[in-house]
Structures are given as C-alpha cells and as structure tokens.
Amino acid sequence: PSNSSCLNNLEQMGEGWGDFYALVMTIRPNDTRTTSRAIGNYSYGEGISGRGIRNKLYSTSMSVNNYTYSDLPATGGEEHNVGEIWATMLWDLTWDLIDVHGFEPNLLASTGGNNIAQQLVTDGYKLQQCNPGFVDGRDAILLADQLNYKGAHQCLIWKAFARRGLGYSAKQGSSASIDDGIEAFDLPPTCQVATLAPIAAF
C-alpha cells in the first residue's frame, strides 16, 4: 500500500498492462497469433475489425506490428505510446504460451497459455521495484515463472522478449529516461541450442 504511486517514470508500462488485460480477456477460441486486434474500437463506433485508438494493431506478425525496444525514444514518453510497445511484447508472450499450453476459455482456470500469461504478468508487477522499466518488468515475469512454475517457461519467456529487442544483453539504463535503453535480440547461454560442426567425410 505504501508503494501505490510507482508509475511516475517515463519508461513505465501502465497503459501497456491495461491493453494486455483487455486483449487477453477477450481472446476468442478461433483467434490465432496473427489475428489483428485493436483497442478502443467500440468507443470510436467501429466494428470488431476497426483500427481503434492505438498507433498499430496488436498482432505477433511483424508486418502488422513491428515494434521493438528501440522504438521507445520515438514515443516521446507519452504513456499510451510507451505502453503499446510493452503490450506488444506481452501479446507475443501470450501466444507463445498458448502454442505450448493451448487456449482456455475459462478465465478462472489455472490451465491454458492465456491464463498462465495473465498469472505471470500479474505476479510480475507485484514483484518488480517501484518505477520499473522494461527490463525490470521482463525480469519480474521471469521471477514469477520461477516461483509459480519452477522456471518451466524461462526460455520461452526469453525468446518472446528477445524477439522484440528485450533480449539477454538489452540494457535499460534509467527508467526515468526513454532515450538510454539498448536493445538486443540474444538469449542467455542456458537457452542457446548448441550446434555441432559437420563431420568431414573420409
């Protein structure tokens, strides 16, 4: 309760969490990871296929939404624009989990990739420090996975974030700034698959 005002920094994800919950709680059984989703299209008087209020539609398809961590400075620190990038990363994570665990329409169930994603994200922001940045948020989700699932999804989580530039070597800098982050697309050594050199023919 004493930390209720903890999103006063520029690199904060509040609007992104809002979009994430709206998206994950309205997935339909026939949706796919490349289904384009809007936020706020109803309030604009648009149909389900409307553009909504965000700059880009949410989709795991990079041709629809190509946000990465390096796009943060272009947001100018405007919280909705910052949040779009964070929600895009969480949306990728959600579908990666659905690919493994399936979709569960009962939102109160503990199974299904969509519900596991909600649990990880919710527990993640309870675990992170005050005024967190993107790396803080990523690391908190990784910790939530260790606590809730004994680390069963560590490499899946790393891959989802690395795809959008928040990989192992990414640097956040100060969460009070949107201009000093460094994106990276690599994975930690524990998630890298070793490859063997081809054996020469004799």
Side-chain angles (χ1 to χ4, degrees), residues 83-114:
E84 276 190 70
I85 299 173
W86 180 243
T88 296
M89 296 178 180
L90 297 182
W91 194 231
D92 279 10
L93 172 61
T94 299
W95 279 102
D96 289 351
L97 287 164
I98 290 173
D99 285 347
V100 173
H101 297 286
F103 170 71
E104 173 52 65
N106 178 6
L107 298 181
L108 299 179
S110 60
T111 57
N114 50 315

Side-chain angles (χ1 to χ4, degrees), residues 73-166:
T75 67
E78 199 282 324
E79 61 266 27
H80 299 87
N81 297 335
V82 172
E84 276 190 70
I85 299 173
W86 180 243
T88 296
M89 296 178 180
L90 297 182
W91 194 231
D92 279 10
L93 172 61
T94 299
W95 279 102
D96 289 351
L97 287 164
I98 290 173
D99 285 347
V100 173
H101 297 286
F103 170 71
E104 173 52 65
N106 178 6
L107 298 181
L108 299 179
S110 60
T111 57
N114 50 315
N115 292 330
I116 292 171
Q118 286 193 76
Q119 192 68 61
L120 290 173
V121 171
T122 301
D123 289 345
Y125 64 65
K126 294 176 185 177
L127 291 165
Q128 66 196 2
Q129 65 187 37
C130 193
N131 295 317
F134 280 34
V135 170
D136 297 323
R138 178 204 68 193
D139 291 349
I141 289 172
L142 287 161
L143 178 56
D145 179 59
Q146 292 173 357
L147 296 173
N148 290 331
Y149 304 104
K150 299 181 180 179
H153 309 102
Q154 292 289 286
C155 290
L156 181 151
I157 295 168
W158 275 114
K159 288 175 184 176
F161 282 111
R163 182 171 184 256
R164 297 288 182 169
L166 207 62

Side-chain angles (χ1 to χ4, degrees), residues 7-55:
L7 293 177
N8 296 313
N9 52 308
L10 281 178
E11 190 177 327
Q12 58 99 343
M13 302 88 83
E15 294 295 336
W17 283 313
D19 282 9
F20 164 74
Y21 283 111
L23 290 167
V24 79
M25 296 179 78
T26 55
I27 299 174
R28 294 170 181 81
N30 60 340
D31 285 349
T32 70
R33 62 185 301 121
T34 57
T35 300
S36 296
R37 297 286 307 279
I39 293 291
N41 41 329
Y42 178 83
S43 65
Y44 270 24
E46 300 172 340
I48 191 130
S49 60
R51 288 285 308 173
I53 61 176
R54 299 295 183 240
N55 295 306

